[in-house]
Amino acid sequence: MRTRPLKVALLGCGVVGSEVARIMTTHADDLAARVGAPVELAGVAVRRPDRVRQGIDPALVTADATALVKRGDIDVVVEVIGGIEPARTLITTAFEHGASVVSANKALLAQDGAALHAAAEEHGEDLYYEAAVAGAIPLIRPLRESLAGDKVNRVLGIVNGTTNFILDKMDSTGAGYQEALDEATALGYAEADPTADVEGFDAAAKAAILAGIAFHTRVRLDDVYREGMTEVTAADFASATRMGCTIKLLAICERAEDGGSVTARVHPAMIPLSHPLASVHGAYNAVFVESDAAGQLMFYGPGAGGAPTASAVLGDLVAVCRNRLNGATGPGESAYAALPVSPMGDVVTRYHISLDVADKPGVLAQVATVFAEHGVSIDTVRQQGRNQSGGDAVAIEQGGGRREGGEASLVVVTHRASDASLSGTVEALRKLDTVRGVASIMRVEGE
Amino acid sequence: MRTRPLKVALLGCGVVGSEVARIMTTHADDLAARVGAPVELAGVAVRRPDRVRQGIDPALVTADATALVKRGDIDVVVEVIGGIEPARTLITTAFEHGASVVSANKALLAQDGAALHAAAEEHGEDLYYEAAVAGAIPLIRPLRESLAGDKVNRVLGIVNGTTNFILDKMDSTGAGYQEALDEATALGYAEADPTADVEGFDAAAKAAILAGIAFHTRVRLDDVYREGMTEVTAADFASATRMGCTIKLLAICERAEDGGSVTARVHPAMIPLSHPLASVHGAYNAVFVESDAAGQLMFYGPGAGGAPTASAVLGDLVAVCRNRLNGATGPGESAYAALPVSPMGDVVTRYHISLDVADKPGVLAQVATVFAEHGVSIDTVRQQGRNQSGGDAVAIEQGGGRREGGEASLVVVTHRASDASLSGTVEALRKLDTVRGVASIMRVEGE
Ligand SMILES: NC(=O)c1ccc[n+]([C@@H]2O[C@H](COP(=O)([O-])OP(=O)(O)OC[C@H]3O[C@@H](n4cnc5c(N)ncnc54)[C@H](OP(=O)(O)O)[C@@H]3O)[C@@H](O)[C@H]2O)c1
Ligand SMILES: NC(=O)c1ccc[n+]([C@@H]2O[C@H](COP(=O)([O-])OP(=O)(O)OC[C@H]3O[C@@H](n4cnc5c(N)ncnc54)[C@H](OP(=O)(O)O)[C@@H]3O)[C@@H](O)[C@H]2O)c1
């Protein structure tokens, strides 16, 4: 074993950083044995250097992250500040000064991954970021390395713990969105400003990263279709239950059937209760990967939290340190396939549509005609009394019966159709006199 | 990209090897892009070289595996022959002749892993074997690399598809062991001689490999306690159902609570239906990993089959090829912790014991006294009519009631106790006049 230590600069010492520092200190001997050299915490940059930080030598703490990164003796920079700046500049500065980088920063990687990878490669440094997607769950390494000889066709996952907690609450208690969000906030599962989570920005960043790695293609954040889950209602869960489904906020990266393009999207979707993702409860994450040879794989675990995320950071740290001792670098960006990323309109899936309609004879025939005209084939139609969304549905035959009295609500479940065809259908439906409103449109996945 | 190809010798072209060859041929461009150089199938060694092998140039096929490995221009040897010899000699010969090795051979790795790793290291070559444990499921790489900065405390998994298929059948249909085995054989899930699977030898080999990697400690096959599943009965499943459990053949690798030793074992066990492993059906595999920082992770997927296993082999092949181009090697054996492997007697868990007893007053008091004398604390006791094993149990109070008429069957579920204490208890119970027989002892895990 080499006795000269590898020096690590820790940028950020918050939820994740403090756990990284703790494990580096308490497990120093194990890390040294696994790396083949001691791994030394050489400096810690924070915003407020005067705060007491348990277990960290105050002499190591600085507010000047730039100076720390430029010191010249740093082997690995661990960036757990978050956000775009100063993280981005600090990372490129690290490469310029001969350090490799481990980061947990999904927002930055999703936005500037290509440029950062290029900078790493230019300087012959590593850029690792397992912790950026699904916290502790090994996902980037399996996709990039274990499946390197396979062809991934689909990645389907729950990659945001906050929204999974909220949706799981709504499902199990019948609570509405706001009530479930309040509970998540009270329990510390949601931040004071939950926008990034509930509007799907966080999941979209992860989807961009996953799609890029899975398909060896650059996928920008803008390429990811994004729909949050703030409009999911208790009525949607009632509909889902009736269909033997639950609702999850899913990140879905797919190769088109002809293999010539890919898509990436984040939105709430119904999935059958029999699907393994349906039983991912609370703030847990899980990701399904489908590939040609391996078939269906699933990876499950805690998607966030200080210690779990630190576990992923430290796994990367050990790998980067080993590479350094070997005088080598690990796999960099792989974007050789350069497949076009298709827009949402090209995505093909099934849909669950709730319509408020006039309770007149012939409405169903009208509605069915609109679907047919847009080439969207109907699987099932149910009609139910307006104020009975929580009750039993009454299955009716195409063009047939209706419920007496009151307005009616019509639930249509389609066969697979493109998002563009579905949008056209919905637009035309809204123009029908007999359609009072489109109460909800939800995609149905995982079948 | 380098234009000179990396040359691969394929040893064995059966279920797994033929898929490796197929993917290497059909995905040659992708492999080249991911490796950074073309990867060429330079030779294929088989037992019967004259057999027609679809998609493989007959000029590449040879019966002389040794000559192929000694050719001198081979970069990577892929060993998918299986068994101890000639695989072992071929692998060491490969190292001696400057080639790295990818293998799917659990039997060999479990028996001679340490010596093979030493040979690889001596010659500066890689030895990778992701496919040896749980087929397509990335497990060795996540344990070795992703969790390299964490402390793994427990690995609990279903690592044999044949036995999971059989047990799942027994559970869902009420079939007996032989009937379920016959069906597995007919469907190709069990081999003509199923001994290696049903007696737990295959799972024990995987447990040895997993424990070694998880605990950075050499664990020999002999260190693994092994109990097959041929004696699991329909009555056991009925008992399990009554407890809200199912029965799985589990591989369990654990660090003792004081951290000073480890254990590895394979046996059938009851696990609660709420445990994620309980819903692993058919021939699928899944492995739970518990670590200090990451918490609970689960990895799920197909544990065998030509294509899934080939996916894992090819992932390793790409990694080894990249290492070679980098002039480096990946992580080798890590056994620095060198923890003692404790015998089965030291394992602490819960037990479900069915006793056939004389239906006399005072029997329960006698039985309870024996448990107490051996320091095994009882959680619940149930008494049921002898011929009613499938019916409802009648919960009774300690030292209390009994069922009128016929012999009785007593079911005891214990709190956590060492295997040695339990064995002592059972030995003493057998000596009681009133205990006619010990119908079954089953461990209860995953709670
Ligand atoms: N928390 C999770 O569960 C989780 C999971 C996966 C990934 N991540 C990612 O991990 C990263 C860190 O998250 P976190 O939850 O640990 O954040 P956090 O608790 O807010 O910690 C941020 C840290 O960065 C420091 N900092 C802020 N601005 C700085 C600056 N300009 N220069 C130097 N230091 C600065 C802060 O200093 P002070 O201590 O002085 O405020 C603090 O120590 C983010 O990219 C996040 O997306 C987090
Ligand atoms: N099958 C699975 O699902 C699976 C899953 C995980 C791991 N594995 C492991 O993968 C390995 C291969 O399994 P498999 O199922 O592919 O076995 P298999 O179908 O029996 O194929 C064995 C191959 O090795 C060849 N062979 C046998 N003896 C040889 C010798 N002395 N010299 C050269 N070639 C020889 C055979 O040649 P012929 O073709 O001429 O008979 C055959 O091509 C084993 O270690 C197994 O444990 C298998």
Side-chain angles (χ1 to χ4, degrees), chain B residues 10 13-26 41 44 46 48-61:
Chain B
L10 182 62
C13 194
V15 175
V16 179
S18 60
E19 283 295 315
V20 171
R22 186 185 63 74
I23 299 174
M24 282 186 68
T25 312
T26 55
L41 188 57
V44 181
V46 294
R48 297 162 296 176
D50 299 329
R51 270 194 128 192
V52 176
R53 313 215 177 227
Q54 229 207 326
I56 293 176
D57 179 355
L60 295 179
V61 179

